[in-house]
Amino acid sequence: MMDDENIALNSVLGLELNRVFFAVRETANKQKIIEFAREVLQSERAELADSISPEGPAS
């Protein structure tokens, strides 16, 4: 199923992001990682909201 694949991929990506975050020592670089992750999450949430909107996809 596609949902299971997405959940598994997101779990792997989350773990990898966590590993990179803790491997990075400089606070400024950690902040960049946090900002990047936030942007990705907001983008994903916007796409999800668009895909489940009652009007359906815009044509």
Side-chain angles (χ1 to χ4, degrees):
M1 291 180 84
M2 192 60 145
D3 286 343
D4 290 340
E5 288 176 15
N6 286 339
I7 290 168
L9 180 60
N10 286 340
S11 295
V12 169
L13 290 174
L15 289 171
E16 189 64 14
L17 183 60
N18 197 45
R19 185 190 68 75
V20 169
F21 181 81
F22 285 106
V24 169
R25 298 201 187 285
E26 297 80 15
T27 301
N29 287 335
K30 286 188 177 191
Q31 191 61 37
K32 288 177 187 174
I33 293 170
I34 292 168
E35 289 169 10
F36 172 75
R38 278 194 185 127
E39 287 174 18
V40 171
L41 277 174
Q42 288 170 348
S43 170
E44 292 280 323
R45 288 178 180 153
E47 286 179 24
L48 182 62
D50 289 344
S51 70
I52 61 173
S53 67
E55 301 87 26
S59 49

